[in-house]
Amino acid sequence: MMNYMYPSAIGAGCGPLLQSGAAKAASLRLQFFQHVRANGRAARADVARALKISAGSATAVTSDLIASGLLQEVSEQTRETGRGRPSVALEVVPTAAYVVGIKLSSRRHCAVLTDFVGNVLAGVTLPSNNRRRSLQELLDQITSLIDMLVQQAEISVDDIDAVGIGVPGIVDMENGVVRWCSLLQDDDVDLAPAFAVRFDMPLFIDNDTNMLTLAELWFGEGRDKTDFAVVTIENGVGMGLVVNNTLYRGSHGVGLELGHTKVQMDGALCRCGQRGCLEAYLGDYALTREVGVALDLGEARHRTPEDLLDLLFEEAKSGNAAAKTIFRRAGRYLAVGLSNVVQLFDPPLIIISGERTRYDYLFADEVLAEMKTMTLSDVRQPCAIAIRPWDDMVWAHGAAVPAISALSDKLVADCEMSNT
């Protein structure tokens, strides 16, 4: 069962609120559709003013999109008096498509079913484990998640129009190939073709941090920003970057590996095999490998890494000096990483997320102050820091975004072809 209360898109909208260069280059019908979707509801006249088109053009575009089943008219009471003839607004038809978003991880897999405007209709979780598995085993788990969703939502698998999946690893999004993933036994796995054997629907795969970044761009704190960064701290350290309302992936889709930037020459050993990576001081395994030194574990030695981290945090909160030292050290390295993000990309906002946001030592005032002292703050506007309360379902919600976006482009293009 899902434990995250998703905001309704009705009246609130989803997607970027500020137009980017790419949005302005889109066709008029797509711009019109995107404006309505972003605002939740909008009158024809308001859209016409925003897009700087004539009332006649707005009426023609509206007629086409309504006829194609993408937009619908809704009545709204006049805001000033609540009396008189209701005004007519436009909104996206939520039942025009259904999409599944999935986050795969080493502890639990999460999945959501959304409608065409991003409203979450169902959410499920499936236990996972911290070991590598075959492609077929991973597909079995994906199949189970989809089956659980359709059962909860009381729909058919045939009603699903697309699926988005976020994985912890390096992904060739264009070809549907997972170059490396901590969940898979093999590298260069053709996940998309294997998925197509089981399901007759398009699949969109990306790194899980990219999917979380899209969640912030479409549903969260990044909606009113054209540029922002997301930093995640979980088993590893990840980063996502939005530039001009577009997710930046690098030339080969392997950019923004913040966790593997070097913060100490010949430093701690990272799971990537190199030394001195930021992740080697901040990731789960970086904290747990020092637990035995800091605490007299006894029987606790056989606890899971998750339990050991919780124990370490409890000890720090109780005043254990060694436990506090571990978190303070990790916090200082986080300050280094964040200052590097600010120096390199100058974002107006960094959103910090991930399971380790439960440990407030990492985000104490002195950590953020130290980040500021390590940046050239006098010559730039200050970068805001927002802490996103951790919830895997948010990541799954973001995994639905590429599917919703691609379906929107396709359905609006079909509308254009049928009206030319």
Side-chain angles (χ1 to χ4, degrees):
M1 297 296 292
M2 57 182 174
N3 57 1
Y4 175 75
M5 296 303 294
Y6 293 86
S8 172
I10 301 299
C14 70
L17 286 168
L18 302 179
Q19 278 201 338
S20 66
K24 294 175 182 177
S27 70
L28 179 57
R29 286 183 181 84
L30 186 56
Q31 289 185 59
F32 198 101
F33 176 85
Q34 289 173 340
H35 185 92
V36 173
R37 182 178 62 195
N39 287 275
R41 286 180 177 173
R44 288 178 180 79
D46 293 336
V47 184
R49 281 191 292 270
L51 299 183
K52 299 179 180 179
I53 60 176
S54 67
S57 295
T59 298
V61 170
T62 298
S63 177
D64 292 345
L65 293 172
I66 290 176
S68 297
L70 302 180
L71 294 184
Q72 62 187 8
E73 293 181 328
V74 291
S75 297
E76 291 186 324
Q77 287 295 123
T78 304
R79 293 181 180 176
E80 289 77 9
T81 65
R83 295 179 296 177
R85 183 177 179 181
S87 60
V88 176
L90 299 168
E91 68 178 21
V92 175
V93 178
T95 56
Y98 294 100
V99 165
V100 168
I102 298 174
K103 170 184 165 58
L104 301 174
S105 75
S106 60
R107 294 196 180 96
R108 68 192 66 83
H109 304 318
C110 302
V112 298
L113 175 73
T114 81
D115 59 22
F116 199 37
V117 287
N119 290 311
V120 173
L121 308 177
V124 298
T125 62
L126 186 68
S128 181
N129 49 57
N130 192 19
R131 65 173 180 82
R132 294 177 179 268
R133 63 213 77 192
S134 68
L135 171 60
Q136 291 306 313
E137 185 178 355
L138 189 67
L139 282 171
D140 288 342
Q141 293 168 341
I142 292 169
T143 300
S144 295
L145 287 166
I146 293 175
D147 289 344
M148 292 164 65
L149 280 175
V150 298
Q151 182 177 358
Q152 186 181 118
E154 298 181 345
I155 64 171
S156 166
V157 172
D158 295 334
D159 294 324
I160 300 173
D161 296 280
V163 174
I165 297 179
V167 299
I170 298 171
V171 180
D172 179 351
M173 195 192 73
E174 295 297 324
N175 297 304
V177 177
V178 180
R179 296 300 182 193
W180 175 87
C181 175
S182 58
L183 302 177
L184 287 168
Q185 295 171 348
D186 301 315
D187 296 340
D188 297 323
V189 174
D190 289 330
L191 181 55
F195 179 87
V197 173
R198 299 195 184 197
F199 297 99
D200 184 20
M201 61 188 77
L203 175 67
F204 301 87
I205 318 168
D206 206 342
N207 170 268
D208 55 0
T209 302
N210 283 343
M211 295 301 200
L212 176 65
T213 305
L214 289 174
E216 294 295 347
L217 178 63
W218 274 58
F219 311 113
E221 296 199 42
R223 290 195 65 204
D224 61 351
K225 303 282 191 302
T226 57
D227 307 272
F228 66 91
V230 172
V231 172
T232 60
I233 307 172
E234 296 201 296
N235 189 45
V237 178
M239 179 179 168
L241 182 68
V242 169
V243 178
N244 198 21
N245 276 353
T246 302
L247 183 68
Y248 179 77
R249 294 184 174 86
S251 302
H252 306 96
V254 294
L256 303 173
E257 286 291 340
L258 179 65
H260 299 291
T261 57
K262 303 302 181 282
V263 295
Q264 180 69 55
M265 291 297 294
D266 298 322
L269 183 64
C270 179
R271 63 176 176 172
C272 73
Q274 298 187 16
R275 288 188 175 274
C277 297
L278 177 62
E279 182 177 297
Y281 298 92
L282 268 178
D284 285 3
Y285 61 92
L287 298 176
T288 54
R289 69 184 168 197
E290 296 191 353
V291 171
V293 177
L295 306 178
D296 182 11
L297 294 179
E299 293 301 320
R301 187 177 305 277
H302 304 292
R303 295 190 185 189
T304 66
E306 182 78 5
D307 289 340
L308 287 175
L309 286 174
D310 288 341
L311 176 62
L312 183 68
F313 185 59
E314 290 171 8
E315 287 291 319
K317 283 296 186 182
S318 299
N320 185 302
K324 283 184 176 181
T325 298
I326 292 174
F327 281 111
R328 287 199 187 103
R329 180 172 183 256
R332 296 197 69 191
Y333 276 104
L334 175 62
V336 172
L338 294 177
S339 68
N340 287 339
V341 172
V342 174
Q343 291 290 98
L344 287 170
F345 302 108
D346 191 27
L349 171 68
I350 297 177
I351 301 169
I352 302 176
S353 187
E355 198 162 0
R356 295 307 135 233
T357 55
R358 295 181 294 173
Y359 303 151
D360 53 10
Y361 282 103
L362 298 177
F363 316 107
D365 291 342
E366 55 264 31
V367 172
L368 301 183
E370 189 163 10
M371 176 206 81
K372 186 176 180 180
T373 63
M374 287 187 283
T375 61
L376 301 176
S377 303
D378 294 339
V379 296
R380 60 160 52 90
Q381 292 294 317
C383 174
I385 302 292
I387 309 300
R388 153 71 83 172
W390 166 74
D391 194 305
D392 276 338
M393 287 295 186
V394 178
W395 301 57
H397 200 184
V401 169
I404 296 173
S405 180
L407 283 173
S408 301
D409 292 350
K410 178 183 183 302
L411 293 175
V412 172
D414 291 345
C415 169
E416 291 172 344
M417 291 186 62
S418 64
N419 289 280
T420 55

